[in-house]
PDB file of all heavy atoms in Angstrom:
ATOM      1  N   ILE A 262      17.821  -5.005   9.839  1.00 97.00           N
ATOM      2  CA  ILE A 262      16.752  -4.840  10.759  1.00 97.00           C
ATOM      3  C   ILE A 262      15.416  -4.407  10.140  1.00 97.00           C
ATOM      4  O   ILE A 262      14.536  -4.037  10.918  1.00 97.00           O
ATOM      5  CB  ILE A 262      17.067  -3.997  11.938  1.00 97.00           C
ATOM      6  CG1 ILE A 262      17.229  -2.490  11.576  1.00 97.00           C
ATOM      7  CG2 ILE A 262      18.300  -4.550  12.687  1.00 97.00           C
ATOM      8  CD1 ILE A 262      17.360  -1.514  12.680  1.00 97.00           C
ATOM      9  N   ALA A 263      15.310  -4.213   8.826  1.00 97.00           N
ATOM     10  CA  ALA A 263      14.228  -3.702   8.218  1.00 97.00           C
ATOM     11  C   ALA A 263      12.895  -4.270   8.553  1.00 97.00           C
ATOM     12  O   ALA A 263      11.837  -3.617   8.756  1.00 97.00           O
ATOM     13  CB  ALA A 263      14.354  -3.655   6.707  1.00 97.00           C
ATOM     14  N   SER A 264      12.931  -5.685   8.728  1.00 96.00           N
ATOM     15  CA  SER A 264      11.717  -6.432   9.009  1.00 96.00           C
ATOM     16  C   SER A 264      11.207  -6.264  10.486  1.00 96.00           C
ATOM     17  O   SER A 264      10.101  -6.516  10.829  1.00 96.00           O
ATOM     18  CB  SER A 264      11.918  -7.896   8.720  1.00 96.00           C
ATOM     19  OG  SER A 264      12.897  -8.507   9.502  1.00 96.00           O
ATOM     20  N   ARG A 265      12.131  -5.580  11.321  1.00 98.00           N
ATOM     21  CA  ARG A 265      11.828  -5.322  12.695  1.00 98.00           C
ATOM     22  C   ARG A 265      11.717  -3.836  12.956  1.00 98.00           C
ATOM     23  O   ARG A 265      11.814  -3.410  14.109  1.00 98.00           O
ATOM     24  CB  ARG A 265      12.882  -5.965  13.570  1.00 98.00           C
ATOM     25  CG  ARG A 265      12.893  -7.435  13.554  1.00 98.00           C
ATOM     26  CD  ARG A 265      13.811  -8.148  14.692  1.00 98.00           C
ATOM     27  NE  ARG A 265      15.047  -8.175  14.183  1.00 98.00           N
ATOM     28  CZ  ARG A 265      16.090  -7.538  14.623  1.00 98.00           C
ATOM     29  NH1 ARG A 265      16.008  -6.705  15.666  1.00 98.00           N
ATOM     30  NH2 ARG A 265      17.298  -7.789  14.058  1.00 98.00           N
ATOM     31  N   THR A 266      11.503  -3.126  11.895  1.00 98.00           N
ATOM     32  CA  THR A 266      11.589  -1.694  12.046  1.00 98.00           C
ATOM     33  C   THR A 266      10.320  -1.014  11.509  1.00 98.00           C
ATOM     34  O   THR A 266       9.689  -1.308  10.512  1.00 98.00           O
ATOM     35  CB  THR A 266      12.748  -1.022  11.240  1.00 98.00           C
ATOM     36  OG1 THR A 266      13.976  -1.523  11.777  1.00 98.00           O
ATOM     37  CG2 THR A 266      12.795   0.499  11.322  1.00 98.00           C
ATOM     38  N   VAL A 267       9.838   0.059  12.228  1.00 98.00           N
ATOM     39  CA  VAL A 267       8.704   0.891  11.818  1.00 98.00           C
ATOM     40  C   VAL A 267       9.401   2.304  11.622  1.00 98.00           C
ATOM     41  O   VAL A 267      10.056   2.792  12.576  1.00 98.00           O
ATOM     42  CB  VAL A 267       7.615   1.044  12.904  1.00 98.00           C
ATOM     43  CG1 VAL A 267       6.502   2.050  12.405  1.00 98.00           C
ATOM     44  CG2 VAL A 267       6.910  -0.336  13.068  1.00 98.00           C
ATOM     45  N   ILE A 268       9.056   3.031  10.630  1.00 98.00           N
ATOM     46  CA  ILE A 268       9.417   4.364  10.401  1.00 98.00           C
ATOM     47  C   ILE A 268       8.218   5.213  10.623  1.00 98.00           C
ATOM     48  O   ILE A 268       7.255   4.990  10.029  1.00 98.00           O
ATOM     49  CB  ILE A 268      10.015   4.607   8.952  1.00 98.00           C
ATOM     50  CG1 ILE A 268      11.075   3.706   8.568  1.00 98.00           C
ATOM     51  CG2 ILE A 268      10.292   5.927   8.830  1.00 98.00           C
ATOM     52  CD1 ILE A 268      12.262   3.757   9.438  1.00 98.00           C
ATOM     53  N   GLN A 269       8.320   6.173  11.643  1.00 98.00           N
ATOM     54  CA  GLN A 269       7.179   6.945  12.002  1.00 98.00           C
ATOM     55  C   GLN A 269       7.546   8.402  11.658  1.00 98.00           C
ATOM     56  O   GLN A 269       8.748   8.842  11.537  1.00 98.00           O
ATOM     57  CB  GLN A 269       6.839   6.907  13.434  1.00 98.00           C
ATOM     58  CG  GLN A 269       8.031   7.327  14.323  1.00 98.00           C
ATOM     59  CD  GLN A 269       7.706   7.183  15.897  1.00 98.00           C
ATOM     60  OE1 GLN A 269       6.466   6.936  16.247  1.00 98.00           O
ATOM     61  NE2 GLN A 269       8.782   7.294  16.707  1.00 98.00           N
ATOM     62  N   SER A 270       6.539   9.226  11.427  1.00 98.00           N
ATOM     63  CA  SER A 270       6.662  10.749  11.304  1.00 98.00           C
ATOM     64  C   SER A 270       5.505  11.504  11.490  1.00 98.00           C
ATOM     65  O   SER A 270       4.357  10.943  11.210  1.00 98.00           O
ATOM     66  CB  SER A 270       7.196  10.880   9.796  1.00 98.00           C
ATOM     67  OG  SER A 270       7.846  12.234   9.719  1.00 98.00           O
ATOM     68  N   PHE A 271       5.627  12.855  11.963  1.00 98.00           N
ATOM     69  CA  PHE A 271       4.550  13.732  11.897  1.00 98.00           C
ATOM     70  C   PHE A 271       4.495  14.356  10.461  1.00 98.00           C
ATOM     71  O   PHE A 271       3.369  14.694   9.978  1.00 98.00           O
ATOM     72  CB  PHE A 271       4.720  14.886  12.741  1.00 98.00           C
ATOM     73  CG  PHE A 271       4.634  14.474  14.306  1.00 98.00           C
ATOM     74  CD1 PHE A 271       5.824  14.370  15.058  1.00 98.00           C
ATOM     75  CD2 PHE A 271       3.354  14.352  14.847  1.00 98.00           C
ATOM     76  CE1 PHE A 271       5.607  14.080  16.375  1.00 98.00           C
ATOM     77  CE2 PHE A 271       3.290  14.130  16.156  1.00 98.00           C
ATOM     78  CZ  PHE A 271       4.420  13.892  16.896  1.00 98.00           C
ATOM     79  N   ASP A 272       5.597  14.243   9.778  1.00 98.00           N
ATOM     80  CA  ASP A 272       5.589  14.794   8.298  1.00 98.00           C
ATOM     81  C   ASP A 272       5.223  13.600   7.448  1.00 98.00           C
ATOM     82  O   ASP A 272       5.933  12.685   7.033  1.00 98.00           O
ATOM     83  CB  ASP A 272       7.018  15.125   8.035  1.00 98.00           C
ATOM     84  CG  ASP A 272       7.291  15.801   6.681  1.00 98.00           C
ATOM     85  OD1 ASP A 272       6.262  15.747   5.830  1.00 98.00           O
ATOM     86  OD2 ASP A 272       8.383  16.113   6.330  1.00 98.00           O
ATOM     87  N   LYS A 273       3.950  13.769   6.983  1.00 98.00           N
ATOM     88  CA  LYS A 273       3.329  12.605   6.215  1.00 98.00           C
ATOM     89  C   LYS A 273       4.091  12.425   4.820  1.00 98.00           C
ATOM     90  O   LYS A 273       4.019  11.369   4.251  1.00 98.00           O
ATOM     91  CB  LYS A 273       1.867  12.897   5.962  1.00 98.00           C
ATOM     92  CG  LYS A 273       1.466  14.172   5.178  1.00 98.00           C
ATOM     93  CD  LYS A 273       0.035  14.242   4.931  1.00 98.00           C
ATOM     94  CE  LYS A 273      -0.437  15.529   4.109  1.00 98.00           C
ATOM     95  NZ  LYS A 273      -0.162  16.688   4.881  1.00 98.00           N
ATOM     96  N   ARG A 274       4.883  13.409   4.420  1.00 98.00           N
ATOM     97  CA  ARG A 274       5.650  13.318   3.175  1.00 98.00           C
ATOM     98  C   ARG A 274       6.514  12.143   3.248  1.00 98.00           C
ATOM     99  O   ARG A 274       6.790  11.481   2.238  1.00 98.00           O
ATOM    100  CB  ARG A 274       6.343  14.509   2.762  1.00 98.00           C
ATOM    101  CG  ARG A 274       5.296  15.799   2.671  1.00 98.00           C
ATOM    102  CD  ARG A 274       6.166  17.105   2.475  1.00 98.00           C
ATOM    103  NE  ARG A 274       7.224  17.248   3.477  1.00 98.00           N
ATOM    104  CZ  ARG A 274       8.226  18.068   3.434  1.00 98.00           C
ATOM    105  NH1 ARG A 274       8.662  18.648   2.189  1.00 98.00           N
ATOM    106  NH2 ARG A 274       9.107  18.155   4.474  1.00 98.00           N
ATOM    107  N   THR A 275       7.255  12.035   4.333  1.00 98.00           N
ATOM    108  CA  THR A 275       8.315  10.894   4.427  1.00 98.00           C
ATOM    109  C   THR A 275       7.633   9.611   4.285  1.00 98.00           C
ATOM    110  O   THR A 275       8.131   8.712   3.645  1.00 98.00           O
ATOM    111  CB  THR A 275       9.185  10.999   5.646  1.00 98.00           C
ATOM    112  OG1 THR A 275       8.372  11.080   6.762  1.00 98.00           O
ATOM    113  CG2 THR A 275      10.002  12.352   5.625  1.00 98.00           C
ATOM    114  N   ILE A 276       6.585   9.337   5.139  1.00 98.00           N
ATOM    115  CA  ILE A 276       5.966   7.956   5.136  1.00 98.00           C
ATOM    116  C   ILE A 276       5.132   7.700   3.924  1.00 98.00           C
ATOM    117  O   ILE A 276       5.056   6.525   3.480  1.00 98.00           O
ATOM    118  CB  ILE A 276       5.278   7.675   6.425  1.00 98.00           C
ATOM    119  CG1 ILE A 276       4.082   8.690   6.672  1.00 98.00           C
ATOM    120  CG2 ILE A 276       6.147   7.722   7.646  1.00 98.00           C
ATOM    121  CD1 ILE A 276       3.260   8.544   7.933  1.00 98.00           C
ATOM    122  N   GLN A 277       4.627   8.738   3.304  1.00 98.00           N
ATOM    123  CA  GLN A 277       4.092   8.615   1.981  1.00 98.00           C
ATOM    124  C   GLN A 277       5.062   8.132   0.996  1.00 98.00           C
ATOM    125  O   GLN A 277       4.835   7.143   0.213  1.00 98.00           O
ATOM    126  CB  GLN A 277       3.347   9.884   1.432  1.00 98.00           C
ATOM    127  CG  GLN A 277       2.100  10.244   2.248  1.00 98.00           C
ATOM    128  CD  GLN A 277       1.643  11.628   1.911  1.00 98.00           C
ATOM    129  OE1 GLN A 277       2.406  12.503   1.568  1.00 98.00           O
ATOM    130  NE2 GLN A 277       0.360  11.922   2.014  1.00 98.00           N
ATOM    131  N   TYR A 278       6.202   8.625   0.899  1.00 98.00           N
ATOM    132  CA  TYR A 278       7.207   8.289  -0.032  1.00 98.00           C
ATOM    133  C   TYR A 278       7.676   6.860   0.300  1.00 98.00           C
ATOM    134  O   TYR A 278       7.931   6.058  -0.549  1.00 98.00           O
ATOM    135  CB  TYR A 278       8.415   9.265   0.194  1.00 98.00           C
ATOM    136  CG  TYR A 278       9.695   8.744  -0.523  1.00 98.00           C
ATOM    137  CD1 TYR A 278       9.706   8.747  -1.925  1.00 98.00           C
ATOM    138  CD2 TYR A 278      10.802   8.300   0.148  1.00 98.00           C
ATOM    139  CE1 TYR A 278      10.945   8.307  -2.520  1.00 98.00           C
ATOM    140  CE2 TYR A 278      11.956   7.856  -0.404  1.00 98.00           C
ATOM    141  CZ  TYR A 278      11.993   7.860  -1.882  1.00 98.00           C
ATOM    142  OH  TYR A 278      13.104   7.365  -2.538  1.00 98.00           O
ATOM    143  N   ILE A 279       8.010   6.484   1.507  1.00 98.00           N
ATOM    144  CA  ILE A 279       8.358   5.165   2.005  1.00 98.00           C
ATOM    145  C   ILE A 279       7.281   4.136   1.588  1.00 98.00           C
ATOM    146  O   ILE A 279       7.634   3.119   1.078  1.00 98.00           O
ATOM    147  CB  ILE A 279       8.657   5.202   3.536  1.00 98.00           C
ATOM    148  CG1 ILE A 279       9.882   6.000   3.776  1.00 98.00           C
ATOM    149  CG2 ILE A 279       8.763   3.724   3.948  1.00 98.00           C
ATOM    150  CD1 ILE A 279      10.116   6.259   5.284  1.00 98.00           C
ATOM    151  N   ASN A 280       6.045   4.462   1.835  1.00 98.00           N
ATOM    152  CA  ASN A 280       4.971   3.551   1.488  1.00 98.00           C
ATOM    153  C   ASN A 280       4.996   3.291  -0.116  1.00 98.00           C
ATOM    154  O   ASN A 280       4.734   2.186  -0.475  1.00 98.00           O
ATOM    155  CB  ASN A 280       3.657   4.103   1.850  1.00 98.00           C
ATOM    156  CG  ASN A 280       2.493   3.183   1.479  1.00 98.00           C
ATOM    157  OD1 ASN A 280       2.311   2.129   2.122  1.00 98.00           O
ATOM    158  ND2 ASN A 280       1.579   3.637   0.712  1.00 98.00           N
ATOM    159  N   ARG A 281       5.294   4.321  -0.828  1.00 97.00           N
ATOM    160  CA  ARG A 281       5.195   4.134  -2.198  1.00 97.00           C
ATOM    161  C   ARG A 281       6.460   3.427  -2.764  1.00 97.00           C
ATOM    162  O   ARG A 281       6.288   2.480  -3.736  1.00 97.00           O
ATOM    163  CB  ARG A 281       5.233   5.584  -2.976  1.00 97.00           C
ATOM    164  CG  ARG A 281       5.037   5.581  -4.484  1.00 97.00           C
ATOM    165  CD  ARG A 281       4.848   6.927  -4.951  1.00 97.00           C
ATOM    166  NE  ARG A 281       5.909   7.779  -4.993  1.00 97.00           N
ATOM    167  CZ  ARG A 281       6.085   8.793  -3.941  1.00 97.00           C
ATOM    168  NH1 ARG A 281       5.126   9.050  -3.141  1.00 97.00           N
ATOM    169  NH2 ARG A 281       7.150   9.536  -4.047  1.00 97.00           N
ATOM    170  N   VAL A 282       7.615   3.749  -2.326  1.00 97.00           N
ATOM    171  CA  VAL A 282       8.931   3.144  -2.850  1.00 97.00           C
ATOM    172  C   VAL A 282       9.453   1.956  -2.112  1.00 97.00           C
ATOM    173  O   VAL A 282      10.017   0.984  -2.677  1.00 97.00           O
ATOM    174  CB  VAL A 282      10.035   4.285  -2.791  1.00 97.00           C
ATOM    175  CG1 VAL A 282      11.403   3.774  -3.307  1.00 97.00           C
ATOM    176  CG2 VAL A 282       9.531   5.496  -3.624  1.00 97.00           C
ATOM    177  N   TYR A 283       9.121   1.870  -0.854  1.00 95.00           N
ATOM    178  CA  TYR A 283       9.449   0.787   0.060  1.00 95.00           C
ATOM    179  C   TYR A 283       8.243   0.187   0.683  1.00 95.00           C
ATOM    180  O   TYR A 283       8.082   0.160   1.901  1.00 95.00           O
ATOM    181  CB  TYR A 283      10.427   1.244   1.101  1.00 95.00           C
ATOM    182  CG  TYR A 283      11.631   2.032   0.676  1.00 95.00           C
ATOM    183  CD1 TYR A 283      11.610   3.408   0.786  1.00 95.00           C
ATOM    184  CD2 TYR A 283      12.763   1.366   0.099  1.00 95.00           C
ATOM    185  CE1 TYR A 283      12.777   4.095   0.365  1.00 95.00           C
ATOM    186  CE2 TYR A 283      13.874   2.166  -0.357  1.00 95.00           C
ATOM    187  CZ  TYR A 283      13.736   3.564  -0.161  1.00 95.00           C
ATOM    188  OH  TYR A 283      14.880   4.312  -0.628  1.00 95.00           O
ATOM    189  N   PRO A 284       7.386  -0.438  -0.052  1.00 95.00           N
ATOM    190  CA  PRO A 284       6.056  -0.900   0.485  1.00 95.00           C
ATOM    191  C   PRO A 284       6.286  -2.031   1.479  1.00 95.00           C
ATOM    192  O   PRO A 284       5.326  -2.235   2.280  1.00 95.00           O
ATOM    193  CB  PRO A 284       5.284  -1.402  -0.778  1.00 95.00           C
ATOM    194  CG  PRO A 284       6.358  -1.690  -1.713  1.00 95.00           C
ATOM    195  CD  PRO A 284       7.458  -0.773  -1.542  1.00 95.00           C
ATOM    196  N   GLU A 285       7.373  -2.851   1.574  1.00 94.00           N
ATOM    197  CA  GLU A 285       7.542  -3.873   2.410  1.00 94.00           C
ATOM    198  C   GLU A 285       7.756  -3.222   3.910  1.00 94.00           C
ATOM    199  O   GLU A 285       7.589  -4.057   4.926  1.00 94.00           O
ATOM    200  CB  GLU A 285       8.748  -4.742   2.163  1.00 94.00           C
ATOM    201  CG  GLU A 285       8.541  -5.473   0.833  1.00 94.00           C
ATOM    202  CD  GLU A 285       9.015  -4.640  -0.313  1.00 94.00           C
ATOM    203  OE1 GLU A 285       9.170  -3.398  -0.257  1.00 94.00           O
ATOM    204  OE2 GLU A 285       9.191  -5.245  -1.457  1.00 94.00           O
ATOM    205  N   LEU A 286       8.124  -1.986   3.993  1.00 97.00           N
ATOM    206  CA  LEU A 286       8.548  -1.411   5.332  1.00 97.00           C
ATOM    207  C   LEU A 286       7.255  -0.940   5.991  1.00 97.00           C
ATOM    208  O   LEU A 286       6.278  -0.395   5.382  1.00 97.00           O
ATOM    209  CB  LEU A 286       9.387  -0.234   5.169  1.00 97.00           C
ATOM    210  CG  LEU A 286      10.890  -0.687   5.061  1.00 97.00           C
ATOM    211  CD1 LEU A 286      11.773   0.395   4.366  1.00 97.00           C
ATOM    212  CD2 LEU A 286      11.608  -0.999   6.394  1.00 97.00           C
ATOM    213  N   LYS A 287       7.199  -1.037   7.299  1.00 98.00           N
ATOM    214  CA  LYS A 287       6.029  -0.617   8.170  1.00 98.00           C
ATOM    215  C   LYS A 287       6.176   0.830   8.521  1.00 98.00           C
ATOM    216  O   LYS A 287       7.340   1.325   8.774  1.00 98.00           O
ATOM    217  CB  LYS A 287       6.079  -1.370   9.424  1.00 98.00           C
ATOM    218  CG  LYS A 287       5.852  -2.855   9.403  1.00 98.00           C
ATOM    219  CD  LYS A 287       6.003  -3.580  10.719  1.00 98.00           C
ATOM    220  CE  LYS A 287       5.885  -5.047  10.625  1.00 98.00           C
ATOM    221  NZ  LYS A 287       7.113  -5.655   9.983  1.00 98.00           N
ATOM    222  N   THR A 288       5.081   1.578   8.469  1.00 98.00           N
ATOM    223  CA  THR A 288       5.093   3.011   8.728  1.00 98.00           C
ATOM    224  C   THR A 288       4.039   3.346   9.760  1.00 98.00           C
ATOM    225  O   THR A 288       3.125   2.610   9.919  1.00 98.00           O
ATOM    226  CB  THR A 288       4.813   3.915   7.424  1.00 98.00           C
ATOM    227  OG1 THR A 288       3.575   3.444   6.904  1.00 98.00           O
ATOM    228  CG2 THR A 288       6.055   3.752   6.402  1.00 98.00           C
ATOM    229  N   SER A 289       4.251   4.524  10.415  1.00 98.00           N
ATOM    230  CA  SER A 289       3.420   4.906  11.583  1.00 98.00           C
ATOM    231  C   SER A 289       3.148   6.451  11.357  1.00 98.00           C
ATOM    232  O   SER A 289       4.201   7.159  11.227  1.00 98.00           O
ATOM    233  CB  SER A 289       4.014   4.687  12.911  1.00 98.00           C
ATOM    234  OG  SER A 289       3.233   5.184  13.894  1.00 98.00           O
TER     235      SER A 289
END
């Protein structure tokens, strides 16, 4: 379901990591 998933967080560290390592994934 990765192409239909957004990962969100108040903790910017998690989505910064995801953006860097998993750039195909959407973040919020």
Side-chain angles (χ1 to χ4, degrees):
I262 64 165
S264 61
R265 291 184 277 119
T266 297
V267 176
I268 304 298
Q269 62 176 349
S270 194
F271 290 102
D272 184 355
K273 62 179 181 292
R274 300 175 304 158
T275 58
I276 56 175
Q277 286 169 333
Y278 170 74
I279 290 167
N280 179 68
R281 185 173 69 253
V282 179
Y283 309 101
E285 295 90 344
L286 280 158
K287 302 175 182 70
T288 56
S289 175

